[in-house]
């Protein structure tokens, strides 16, 4: 740990990077997966469990937290670290993605976004300055600039307009953030699926001298190949000495292929949301516990897993819990999924250190391709 925000590269293997982000409240081992704690909770999990699985950092959602319980209230209660009992790094998104998804409930202009709360219909205004203020009140360690995320497909004109707006907002966010020792603000590269716009965005943001950079506006409906092409296009134009964060991604395969292209940080609701809907991620690929084949199968999800949810509970019981809509089913499968994601990241880090990332990636993909054990 350190009193300032620092990123250090420890090893590389091809374009894959093994590093550490050091800051006052902890060290983030990269590549890192950040469990999503949307409203101050990683759904269906105790945060002690999340930490024990290997998470160095979690993500909080500015939009949801500003609406409930409210940023000023969170600040009065000691900030998120005190309120949720997580004394380690927290990254907050800017709220932009959620606001943009409201479409009919919001109005966008140069000053920011005016929107109606999905909870009670109250009117709120989110400017770049207000987004940074809210994130400061929440007490997060890494704060994201306010940006405009356009769902793909979209017209080139619309993508360019949103990208240019996001650049102007990044400059305002940098001013609003000021100098906060030990904390960081990340810029967000936009540009949709248009390579020239991605390059322009990355180069302009790099010129701002921020402490980290994210690639946004992907995993929003485009094929995986497009996402990977945009990463390939963007990476040469981002500083190598700064952490690189791919927002909202993704599947284990997405993460493996993105690490191979130099990404350091990820977040996604997929492991938690999938767990609540009966889907397990394992070294044998995805397993749908709703399927009848599991109804009388007393074997565990994965007898080799270190996670009790995968190792100690039978598929028959998990199937019953999921089909009966029992809360415990979602809790156990979320536990399994986050354990798998963190184990995957630990394996990636070790493989990069040993110079065998390509072999690790191939072995992992082969395990998924072989599929689940045969039904009884």
């Amino acid at each position: 740990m350190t009193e300032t925000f620092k990123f250090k590269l420890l090893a590389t293997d091809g374009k894959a990077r093994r590093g550490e982000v050091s800051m006052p409240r902890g060290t983030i081992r990269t590549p890192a997966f950040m469990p999503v704690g949307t409203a101050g909770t990683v759904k269906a999990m105790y945060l002690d469990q999340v930490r024990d699985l290997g998470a160095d950092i979690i993500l909080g959602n500015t939009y949801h937290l500003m609406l409930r319980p409210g940023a000023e209230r969170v600040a009065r209660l000691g900030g998120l670290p005190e309120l949720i009992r997580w004394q380690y790094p927290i990254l907050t998104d800017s709220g932009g993605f959620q606001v943009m998804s409201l479409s009919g409930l919001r109005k966008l202009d140069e000053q920011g976004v005016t929107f109606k709360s999905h909870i009670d219909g109250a009117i709120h205004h989110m400017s770049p300055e207000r987004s940074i203020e809210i994130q400061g009140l929440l007490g997060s360690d890494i704060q994201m600039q306010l940006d405009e995320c356009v769902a793909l497909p979209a017209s080139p004109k619309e993508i360019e307009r949103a990208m240019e707006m996001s650049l102007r907002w990044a400059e305002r966010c940098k001013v609003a953030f000021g100098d906060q020792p030990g904390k960081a603000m990340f810029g967000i590269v936009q540009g949709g699926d248009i390579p020239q716009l991605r390059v322009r965005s990355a180069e302009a943001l790099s010129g701002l001298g921020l402490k980290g950079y994210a690639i946004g506006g992907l995993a929003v409906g485009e094929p995986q190949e497009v996402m990977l092409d945009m990463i390939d296009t963007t990476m040469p134009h981002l500083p190598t000495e700064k952490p690189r964060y791919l927002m909202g991604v993704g599947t284990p395969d997405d993460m493996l292929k993105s690490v191979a292209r130099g990404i350091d940080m990820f977040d996604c609701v997929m492991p938690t949301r999938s767990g609540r809907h009966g889907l397990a991620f394992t070294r044998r690929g995805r397993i749908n516990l709703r399927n009848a084949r599991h109804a009388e199968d007393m074997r565990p999800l994965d007898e080799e897993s270190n996670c009790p949810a995968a190792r100690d509970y039978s598929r028959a019981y998990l199937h019953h819990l999921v089909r009966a809509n029992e809360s415990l089913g979602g809790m156990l499968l979320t536990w399994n999924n986050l354990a798998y994601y963190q184990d995957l990241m630990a394996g990636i880090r070790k493989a990069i250190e040993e110079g065998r990332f390509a072999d690790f990636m191939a072995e992992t993909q082969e395990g998924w391709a072989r599929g689940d054990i045969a039904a009884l």
Side-chain angles (χ1 to χ4, degrees), residues 215-346:
I215 300 177
L218 295 175
V220 288
E222 81 286 355
Q224 186 194 55
E225 311 83 70
V226 173
M227 179 189 80
L228 297 176
D229 285 346
M230 292 304 101
I231 297 172
D232 284 332
T233 296
T234 303
M235 286 307 225
H237 305 278
L238 293 177
T240 58
E241 72 278 9
K242 305 288 180 73
R244 302 154 168 180
Y245 163 30
L246 182 59
M247 303 184 75
V249 175
T251 67
D253 189 55
D254 287 338
M255 293 192 297
L256 270 182
K257 291 175 179 174
S258 299
V259 166
R261 289 161 168 80
I263 294 294
D264 304 304
M265 299 169 66
F266 302 90
D267 82 281
C268 191
V269 298
M270 187 167 292
T272 48
R273 181 176 290 166
S274 296
R276 299 195 305 277
H277 290 86
L279 188 67
F281 288 93
T282 77
R283 62 189 171 92
R284 299 184 178 106
R286 303 187 204 195
I287 299 175
N288 187 346
L289 272 302
R290 289 188 173 277
N291 290 345
R293 60 166 285 185
H294 303 293
E296 297 188 14
D297 192 337
M298 289 300 290
R299 296 173 295 182
L301 269 178
D302 185 353
E303 68 285 354
E304 295 182 10
S305 174
N306 291 321
C307 177
R311 185 191 62 224
D312 299 341
Y313 292 83
S314 71
R315 292 163 180 247
Y317 186 46
L318 295 170
H319 170 81
H320 159 68
L321 292 173
V322 169
R323 294 297 293 265
N325 292 319
E326 286 289 343
S327 298
L328 183 59
M331 293 167 65
L332 289 172
L333 292 179
T334 299
W335 190 8
N336 166 82
N337 289 350
L338 286 179
Y340 180 74
Y341 269 58
Q342 294 298 347
D343 286 349
L344 178 64
M345 303 315 288

Side-chain angles (χ1 to χ4, degrees), residues 157-217:
K157 184 177 180 180
E158 177 68 3
I159 293 171
E160 182 174 22
R161 182 202 59 74
M163 184 274 288
E164 294 287 0
M165 176 88 81
S166 296
L167 284 179
R168 293 192 294 273
W169 285 357
E171 294 173 357
R172 290 168 56 186
C173 285
K174 179 184 178 182
V175 173
F177 182 81
D179 182 23
Q180 299 185 40
K183 297 195 174 188
M185 190 201 97
F186 284 17
I188 304 175
V189 176
Q190 290 290 350
D193 53 1
I194 302 175
Q196 306 94 300
L197 297 183
R198 287 280 173 184
V199 171
R200 275 170 51 191
S201 178
E203 290 181 343
L205 286 171
S206 296
L208 294 179
L210 303 174
K211 293 180 180 178
Y213 295 89
I215 300 177

Side-chain angles (χ1 to χ4, degrees), residues 13-181:
D13 185 4
K15 294 180 181 178
R17 295 145 51 100
R18 164 75 174 98
E20 283 184 350
V21 176
S22 300
M23 48 204 324
R25 292 201 305 113
T27 298
I28 305 161
R29 298 162 293 174
T30 67
F33 177 78
M34 301 181 283
V36 177
T38 301
T41 168
V42 177
K43 288 184 172 59
M45 293 287 289
Y46 296 107
L47 286 179
D48 290 344
Q49 281 180 305
V50 175
R51 178 67 177 176
D52 289 344
L53 293 177
D56 297 327
I57 179 172
I58 61 172
L59 182 146
N61 185 275
T62 292
Y63 168 80
H64 289 282
L65 290 165
M66 71 174 281
L67 296 181
R68 187 169 54 193
E72 282 75 12
R73 175 173 291 169
V74 171
R76 289 194 298 272
L77 297 172
L80 280 177
E82 291 298 321
L83 180 62
I84 70 176
R85 296 182 65 250
W86 176 266
Q87 297 297 330
Y88 309 100
I90 297 173
L91 180 147
T92 44
D93 64 12
S94 69
F97 180 83
Q98 283 72 27
V99 169
M100 300 313 156
S101 68
L102 294 172
S103 58
L105 297 177
R106 51 94 172 167
K107 179 182 178 183
L108 175 76
D109 58 29
E110 187 69 33
Q111 293 309 306
V113 191
T114 302
F115 62 95
K116 286 185 180 180
S117 164
H118 73 282
I119 298 171
D120 58 11
I123 302 296
H124 297 267
H125 181 72
M126 176 88 80
S127 65
E129 294 79 10
R130 177 59 176 161
S131 174
I132 294 297
E133 180 187 18
I134 291 170
Q135 294 179 73
L137 289 167
L138 295 175
S140 64
D141 303 277
I142 301 176
Q143 302 173 17
M144 303 303 299
Q145 72 152 102
L146 183 65
D147 65 326
E148 183 180 357
C149 180
V150 176
L152 300 177
S155 71
K157 184 177 180 180
E158 177 68 3
I159 293 171
E160 182 174 22
R161 182 202 59 74
M163 184 274 288
E164 294 287 0
M165 176 88 81
S166 296
L167 284 179
R168 293 192 294 273
W169 285 357
E171 294 173 357
R172 290 168 56 186
C173 285
K174 179 184 178 182
V175 173
F177 182 81
D179 182 23
Q180 299 185 40

